[in-house]
């Protein structure tokens, strides 16, 4: 779990990023998870956002890298 590979992703258009897709598509997170894996980045409401999904993400947060999160 210590060697992560982050896939570069599209973060949408300037300013709003992928906010419209996020709001209009109830499967937004699931689609990105299937495409990019359990950790991916996007831009929502003009802010860079990292999304962590599933048991792998919970393990990263709760066991090995808890000090990296606030």
């Amino acid at each position: 779990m210590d060697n992560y590979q982050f896939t570069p992703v599209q973060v949408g258009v300037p300013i709003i990023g992928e906010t419209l897709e996020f709001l209009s598509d109830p499967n937004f997170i699931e689609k990105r998870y299937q495409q990019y894996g359990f950790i991916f980045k996007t831009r929502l409401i003009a802010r860079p956002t990292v999304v962590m999904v599933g048991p792998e993400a919970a393990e990263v947060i709760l066991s090995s890298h808890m000090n990296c999160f606030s």
Side-chain angles (χ1 to χ4, degrees):
M1 276 290 181
D2 288 328
N3 297 325
Y4 305 106
Q5 296 210 347
F6 297 98
T7 304
V9 298
Q10 297 296 323
V11 291
V13 297
I15 311 289
I16 62 171
E18 292 190 296
T19 303
L20 298 178
E21 292 92 335
F22 177 75
L23 293 173
S24 64
D25 184 356
N27 297 313
F28 176 86
I29 300 290
E30 179 64 27
K31 287 177 182 176
R32 298 306 185 279
Y33 171 68
Q34 293 299 321
Q35 187 173 5
Y36 300 115
F38 70 94
I39 300 174
F40 62 90
K41 69 178 180 177
T42 187
R43 182 174 292 274
L44 300 175
I45 313 173
R47 299 192 52 94
T49 304
V50 174
V51 179
M52 301 178 77
V53 181
E56 297 97 343
E59 182 178 347
V60 170
I61 293 169
L62 297 174
S63 66
S64 59
H65 293 85
M66 194 171 204
N67 60 324
C68 296
F69 300 93
S70 59

